[in-house]
Amino acid sequence: MKKVFFLLLVVLLSNWATAQIMDYSIFDKKFNFYVANDLGRNGYYDQKPIAELMGTMAEEVGPEFVVATGDIHHFEGVRSVNDPLWMTNYELIYSHPELMIDWFPVLGNHEYRGNTQAVMDYTNISRRWTMPARYYTKAFEDKGITIRIVWIDTAPMMDKYRNDSATYPDACKQDLQKQLAWIDSVLANAKEDWIIVAGHHPIYAETPKDDSERLDMQKRLDPILRKHKVDMYICGHIHNFQHIRKAGSNIDYVVNSAGSLARKVKPTEGTVFCSPEPGFSIISADKKTLTLRMIDKKGNILHTVTRNSQ
């Protein structure tokens, strides 16, 4: 009898851990947009069903755009904008009508293995791929809410990529100090209600990747972010969901999970939540609250990150 009760309790707790979205009114009168990354490989793994879920939910959520945090075409680079893999990895997989909105990407390490100029040139080919530069910023205003997003180019910030000129021949050519100075200047002048910085690589978060990646990001990028009003730093790269708060920093560090091949995670110092589930995130904003909801491939809300205005 005790065993049966224990099993029932486990089932109940597992159901409480996630909550499928049943009431979409939580997105009403909000500025909504998606976060997605690692979406290529010709629709392998969970990408196609996740894409369909994103499209179906978009009918209710009404996202304004998608922040695509790298490795959108998850293969060994691209030779030109005429490469058919661009179609099979992006345009066809994410073909739901409600996803025919602007996708604002940054470069991931997989894009850096190929022709990174072709990645940017694609903005002239696709009606929705919008990437004016390797790093850029844009302010949005809707319903009286202002949001600034700063898209940054993280691969050149790490010596692992800068020094491997055979695999990443373009990373070492980028002016790291110029980009860091630009980030500092943009954030110093940002006056919007909410400020989000989006890159591909995590600053913190447990990862099977090389530790030197995080150490370089902590040394070069994080001190600049901490100087300014930054609400969230959002990234991808490591194929899982993570939310971290670090002592001495007022930033929510968020890792968005992959649309493909999610990986297990372990809590690290400052971890609030972590999950190996694949999926995407929805960000909603009004004047008082900025909310990021992590969504798994079944449409469950796994975790919510909430920021309140000062």
Side-chain angles (χ1 to χ4, degrees):
M1 188 68 178
K2 289 183 178 180
K3 185 176 181 180
V4 172
F5 175 77
F6 176 75
L7 290 174
L8 179 61
L9 181 62
V10 169
V11 171
L12 289 172
L13 288 175
S14 64
N15 288 335
W16 289 338
T18 61
Q20 193 162 18
I21 300 175
M22 304 298 291
D23 180 8
Y24 281 90
S25 66
I26 58 176
F27 302 105
D28 290 349
K29 298 180 181 179
K30 302 288 197 306
F31 187 108
N32 302 308
F33 58 94
Y34 281 159
V35 180
N37 50 269
D38 294 273
L39 306 176
R41 295 190 176 179
N42 297 316
Y44 297 162
Y45 308 108
D46 293 306
Q47 291 172 79
K48 190 59 177 177
I50 286 175
E52 290 300 319
L53 176 62
M54 289 174 66
T56 301
M57 291 180 64
E59 297 172 6
E60 303 291 339
V61 174
E64 300 292 331
F65 52 83
V66 180
V67 172
T69 54
D71 286 355
I72 303 306
H73 304 270
H74 200 247
F75 54 91
E76 301 301 307
V78 60
R79 293 181 183 272
S80 75
V81 294
N82 297 316
D83 191 324
L85 280 173
W86 285 84
M87 284 291 289
T88 57
N89 277 288
Y90 172 62
E91 299 288 0
L92 296 183
I93 294 173
Y94 293 81
S95 59
H96 192 288
E98 293 297 326
L99 295 181
M100 296 296 179
I101 53 181
D102 286 335
W103 289 58
F104 295 102
V106 292
L107 296 168
N109 49 299
H110 281 270
E111 278 92 13
Y112 259 102
R113 289 179 184 175
N115 182 350
T116 52
Q117 185 59 49
V119 179
M120 292 182 288
D121 288 345
Y122 199 56
T123 194
N124 300 316
I125 304 299
S126 172
R127 293 183 63 183
R128 52 183 172 152
W129 183 267
T130 305
M131 187 177 186
R134 295 172 190 266
Y135 50 91
Y136 55 102
T137 186
K138 186 175 177 64
F140 301 88
E141 183 173 5
D142 187 48
K143 304 178 180 70
I145 307 154
T146 57
I147 301 175
R148 176 167 295 278
I149 301 180
V150 184
W151 287 267
I152 63 175
D153 187 18
T154 56
M157 295 184 185
M158 286 164 284
D159 292 338
K160 172 182 175 179
Y161 301 105
R162 297 186 69 85
N163 296 335
D164 188 354
S165 58
T167 307
Y168 307 96
D170 201 22
C172 62
K173 299 175 184 177
Q174 305 311 310
D175 190 332
L176 169 61
Q177 295 306 320
K178 181 179 179 180
Q179 182 184 181
L180 294 176
W182 176 86
I183 295 169
D184 193 15
S185 176
V186 169
L187 294 176
N189 291 285
K191 306 298 182 184
E192 288 74 23
D193 297 323
W194 307 105
I195 312 294
I196 295 172
V197 178
H200 181 61
H201 297 84
I203 299 174
Y204 300 99
E206 195 280 330
T207 168
K209 308 283 186 176
D210 194 329
D211 285 344
S212 67
E213 293 184 13
R214 290 176 295 166
L215 295 176
D216 285 346
M217 293 286 282
Q218 290 166 23
K219 175 178 66 177
R220 291 169 173 161
L221 177 63
D222 199 37
I224 296 174
L225 302 188
R226 292 192 186 206
K227 281 173 56 179
H228 305 289
K229 177 191 177 297
V230 174
D231 293 291
M232 293 183 185
Y233 173 75
I234 303 174
C235 66
H237 186 49
I238 58 177
H239 292 224
N240 49 60
F241 284 117
Q242 294 191 50
H243 173 207
I244 291 175
R245 292 299 307 268
K246 299 296 292 186
S249 175
N250 193 39
I251 301 168
D252 282 282
Y253 300 91
V254 177
V255 179
N256 184 67
S257 191
S260 64
L261 197 62
R263 300 187 177 107
K264 294 182 179 179
V265 291
K266 297 178 182 178
T268 189
E269 182 182 355
T271 298
V272 179
F273 175 82
C274 59
S275 169
E277 290 296 316
F280 62 101
S281 294
I282 303 173
I283 295 181
S284 303
D286 59 22
K287 277 288 189 181
K288 295 182 179 180
T289 307
L290 178 71
T291 304
L292 180 144
R293 294 178 175 90
M294 298 176 178
I295 312 294
D296 72 6
K297 63 182 179 181
K298 297 180 180 179
N300 295 313
I301 301 175
L302 298 179
H303 179 67
T304 301
V305 182
T306 303
R307 304 276 302 187
N308 295 313
S309 61
Q310 300 297 320

